[in-house]
Amino acid sequence: MAEGNLPTKALVLTFDDGYQDNFINALPVLEKHRCAATFFIASKGIEQGYLWNDQVQQLIIATEAEKISKEITGVVLPLHSKQEKIQSFNALITYLKFLDQNTRTMKIKLLEDELGAVIYKRTMMTASQVKQLTDKGFMLGAHTHNHTILSTETKQVTIDELQTNKVYLETLTRKEIDSIAFPNGLYNRDYNKEHCGAAKQLKFRFGFSTNDGGAFQHTPKFALPRFMPFRRNLSLFSLSIAKIASENG
Ligand SMILES: [Zn+2]
């Protein structure tokens, strides 16, 4: 793109986080259609088997408690039915994701005390699966170690998160990791130019946001927008594709 020699309507497929379904479901389809793709990996998930949001989900699914007390979020979240569990889960995730990593870990410990601890199931790829992706020629990118929203963290934690993640992935694959997808990824809310500066200092060359849109030659290199095709409604999905297509036209 920097050199201006991409074909029109070029696209890049990216997968964030490192979930096991990337390996089980997406990989065979990508290979069948000979598509390249890049996987942005939160390394704590690979090491530990799950991310904090998976813990919350598994705790809520397993619990027989009738509610989550207001100690956690400030309001009582009911858990009587499947519907209530889904609503309370969504409210809890929205609340917890904007906390810094330390506070969130403390809140999840409280949640385990209230709901009853479970043995967490692996949801993320294993290190061997991640390695296999690169051996097959797919690219990896950074996604921080703990999948924490960088704007909630101090400068030092930001550097640690980026560095730990980069070193983990480079040690595993013996390849340079030079791109990052910022967790949650809205530019100027979830990360800003200071976080881009920290990434540049650690020798990252470009970064992706979750802002909707196509990328052009003038697009800032650390805020490359993407388009998230997980709209459940088919006509909304078509509309968002049409929007990106018209921006490129
Ligand atoms: Zn993510």
Side-chain angles (χ1 to χ4, degrees):
M1 192 169 71
E3 289 162 12
N5 57 12
L6 282 179
T8 54
K9 296 183 182 173
L11 66 87
V12 174
L13 293 175
T14 67
F15 294 81
D16 284 12
D17 303 333
Y19 278 95
Q20 224 160 22
D21 60 5
N22 295 184
F23 193 88
I24 295 165
N25 299 332
L27 177 61
V29 179
L30 293 167
E31 288 190 301
K32 181 178 167 198
H33 296 284
R34 302 174 55 82
C35 287
T38 301
F39 296 83
F40 294 99
I41 310 284
S43 33
K44 180 73 175 282
I46 307 303
E47 263 180 6
Q48 157 179 272
Y50 46 83
L51 289 174
W52 65 266
N53 50 294
D54 301 312
Q55 292 177 272
V56 174
Q57 184 177 30
Q58 292 179 31
L59 286 171
I60 291 184
I61 288 172
T63 193
E64 289 178 5
E66 295 191 338
K67 61 174 175 24
I68 297 166
S69 80
K70 65 178 185 191
E71 294 302 307
I72 312 278
T73 65
V75 294
V76 173
L77 297 169
L79 300 170
H80 296 100
S81 60
K82 192 179 169 194
Q83 196 56 35
E84 281 189 352
K85 280 190 171 185
I86 292 170
Q87 282 169 358
S88 293
F89 169 75
N90 288 333
L92 199 51
I93 292 293
T94 305
Y95 171 81
L96 290 171
K97 77 176 178 181
F98 292 107
L99 301 177
D100 64 273
Q101 175 65 17
N102 278 342
T103 314
R104 182 166 50 243
T105 303
M106 192 219 20
K107 294 277 183 184
I108 290 172
K109 287 222 169 72
L110 282 178
L111 198 64
E112 287 173 338
D113 292 343
E114 282 197 19
L115 302 186
V118 300
I119 294 168
Y120 297 113
K121 293 196 256 310
R122 176 172 281 275
T123 57
M124 313 296 290
M125 283 185 276
T126 61
S128 149
Q129 289 171 326
V130 173
K131 178 77 168 52
Q132 286 177 60
L133 290 178
T134 58
D135 292 344
K136 287 168 183 286
F138 292 98
M139 275 180 68
L140 295 190
H143 199 44
T144 76
H145 187 58
N146 281 293
H147 201 284
T148 193
I149 296 179
L150 294 178
S151 60
T152 68
E153 302 288 359
T154 62
K155 194 172 178 191
Q156 190 54 49
V157 173
T158 293
I159 293 166
D160 291 346
E161 282 289 332
L162 297 179
Q163 199 155 30
T164 305
N165 186 224
K166 192 176 202 284
V167 169
Y168 180 94
L169 295 173
E170 290 182 343
T171 307
L172 177 67
T173 63
R174 309 211 164 273
K175 289 185 176 127
E176 194 194 349
I177 302 293
D178 61 0
S179 67
I180 177 166
F182 291 94
N184 220 50
L186 270 191
Y187 187 68
N188 273 341
R189 187 194 68 182
D190 300 333
Y191 76 105
N192 59 40
K193 64 176 197 297
E194 280 175 39
H195 307 105
C196 300
K200 269 179 223 169
Q201 280 195 340
L202 291 169
K203 303 261 184 331
F204 285 104
R205 288 169 52 234
F206 51 100
F208 289 88
S209 72
T210 56
N211 294 65
D212 222 21
F216 306 91
Q217 235 175 338
H218 61 261
T219 306
K221 276 203 198 100
F222 280 83
L224 298 169
R226 292 186 289 174
F227 155 67
M228 291 184 281
F230 55 58
R231 287 151 181 99
R232 293 200 168 103
N233 175 311
L234 184 60
S235 41
L236 282 181
F237 177 75
S238 319
L239 266 179
S240 34
I241 299 237
K243 176 176 170 274
I244 306 294
S246 69
E247 282 171 0
N248 280 298

